[in-house]
Amino acid sequence: MKALVITAPGHAEVQDVEPPVAAPGDVVVDVKRAGICGTDMELFTGDMAYYETRHTTFPVRIGHEWMGVVSAVGDGVDASWLGTRVTGDTMLGCGQCRRCAQGLQHVCERRDELGIRDGRPGALAEQVAVPVASLHRLPDTVDDEMGAMVEPGGNAFRSVEAAALKPGERCLVLGPGTVGLLCGLFAKAAGAEVHLLGRSERSLEFARAIGFDGVWTEQTLPDLPWDAVIEASNAPHLPAKALHLVEPGRRVVYVGLAGTPSLIDTRELALKDVTAVGVLSASPGLAGTVESYAAGAVDPRPLVAATLTLEDLPAILAGERPAGSGAGPKFHVTIGG
């Protein structure tokens, strides 16, 4: 079968690889649509921290934002899964440790990360093998494009949930990437007044086009009381700014990651009586995201700039933006028929 493989820093190609086999407890999924994100770009450039920790080594088969149809089941898996449209979790815990027993498999010390850490090849391929326990069924009201946006949506869903916003309250999102924009959409769906802070004019224009209440740069940001601040950027100085901006007694949510350490003043955190929440993964938010998409509360599809083929992806990972692409931040590929 065909799969995208990163063979070395800055080099990716489509290769013929052995198709997966459904091990006990696993299923094989025929991938229909998948996306790439900032983590995939870091894996491509070699900047991903997991290379230093040896959680990830070359070659890497990436892809953790996906949907498809179950085509084979392993021993112990109910055959009723065959033919089901699904997406799945990225964080695959060991299932044996204390954290997994508490439902915290996404922070399991021995976890696999599909298409990110060594151990589980990713879904930018014709087929992917995943544990049946990681699957989420997709209702007919969640089309293939939306299905491949469930994973990034789960991060945003959790971030907005952590912000604890009430209708009419004011939320500021820092960072106009995919997760930041999705945070804004989920916050709007919760009835909040949503503002977004960014830098590039292209991304700011796109944010305006999808209807946020205010779109600002650091220089133009108005002096308003922010009931919640969601930090979804990769800028190392913005976590401290988020803490400075949020109203006392309220919440700041950290879902973005910079390439270098970000510092906050814990004196300000304590003296303002602020609750700070970190969000690592989509895992606990996947079901809620599917429900939100199915109900029409949030539509992630405007964020997809273009839908391409596997063969187009090496150029995209290298930073090219195909002619005719929309203004959104997300690129998808269609794989199956």
Side-chain angles (χ1 to χ4, degrees):
M1 71 169 188
K2 302 291 185 183
L4 185 74
V5 184
I6 300 173
T7 56
H11 189 268
E13 60 188 40
V14 177
Q15 295 183 357
D16 288 310
V17 301
E18 287 295 318
V21 175
D26 280 8
V27 302
V28 172
V29 176
D30 293 344
V31 180
K32 300 301 181 185
R33 183 180 282 256
I36 60 171
C37 76
T39 298
D40 298 314
M41 303 295 283
E42 290 182 359
L43 288 164
F44 174 75
T45 61
D47 294 332
M48 180 68 175
Y50 282 169
Y51 289 124
E52 293 186 15
T53 63
R54 303 297 292 175
H55 285 108
T56 305
T57 56
F58 294 104
V60 185
R61 283 171 49 187
I62 62 173
H64 61 278
E65 302 178 1
W66 59 273
M67 65 76 55
V69 176
V70 177
S71 59
V73 299
D75 289 346
V77 179
D78 192 323
S80 66
W81 280 101
L82 291 168
T84 304
R85 295 175 64 250
V86 296
T87 187
D89 202 343
T90 299
M91 304 298 209
L92 308 175
C94 72
Q96 305 298 320
C97 69
R98 182 172 183 267
R99 296 174 190 173
C100 287
Q102 294 173 334
L104 299 173
Q105 91 288 339
H106 60 291
V107 288
C108 169
E109 186 67 26
R110 300 190 296 274
R111 69 183 180 271
D112 287 331
E113 294 184 21
L114 184 78
I116 300 173
R117 289 188 177 192
D118 290 350
R120 286 277 182 175
L124 282 166
E126 293 178 326
Q127 293 183 315
V128 64
V130 296
V132 68
S134 72
L135 295 181
H136 290 261
R137 298 177 188 268
L138 296 176
D140 292 341
T141 48
V142 176
D143 66 16
D144 290 1
E145 189 173 15
M146 298 168 80
M149 291 289 285
V150 169
E151 197 279 340
N155 286 281
F157 179 93
R158 289 191 65 208
S159 297
V160 173
E161 188 175 56
L165 287 158
K166 298 176 182 176
E169 291 185 334
R170 185 179 293 118
C171 177
L172 176 64
V173 179
L174 309 183
T178 297
V179 171
L181 292 168
L182 286 168
C183 284
L185 293 176
F186 276 103
K188 281 175 65 69
E193 176 188 324
V194 181
H195 297 249
L196 185 139
L197 183 143
R199 185 173 57 186
S200 88
E201 190 53 39
R202 180 184 63 81
S203 62
L204 295 177
E205 281 297 323
F206 179 72
R208 292 186 187 101
I210 60 175
F212 291 114
D213 295 291
V215 177
W216 316 98
T217 64
E218 289 189 69
Q219 293 71 37
T220 63
L221 184 68
D223 184 15
L224 294 172
W226 306 106
D227 297 306
V229 178
I230 300 174
E231 206 292 291
S233 80
N234 59 5
H237 72 288
L238 286 184
K241 190 176 188 72
L243 177 57
H244 180 70
L245 289 170
V246 72
E247 280 286 279
R250 301 309 300 262
R251 292 189 169 214
V252 59
V253 180
Y254 294 111
V255 65
L257 288 174
T260 57
S262 300
L263 303 179
I264 64 170
D265 187 342
T266 57
R267 295 171 299 180
E268 187 171 21
L269 181 75
L271 292 170
K272 291 180 69 174
D273 201 29
V274 166
T275 298
V277 182
V279 173
L280 168 67
S281 84
S283 302
L286 294 173
T289 301
V290 172
E291 292 173 4
S292 295
Y293 289 176
V298 172
D299 184 355
R301 291 172 293 188
L303 276 62
V304 179
T307 302
L308 310 166
T309 68
L310 276 177
E311 287 73 17
D312 296 320
L313 282 190
I316 299 298
L317 290 168
E320 294 185 19
R321 195 171 182 90
S325 298
K330 178 64 65 178
F331 289 96
H332 274 182
V333 298
T334 53
I335 300 172

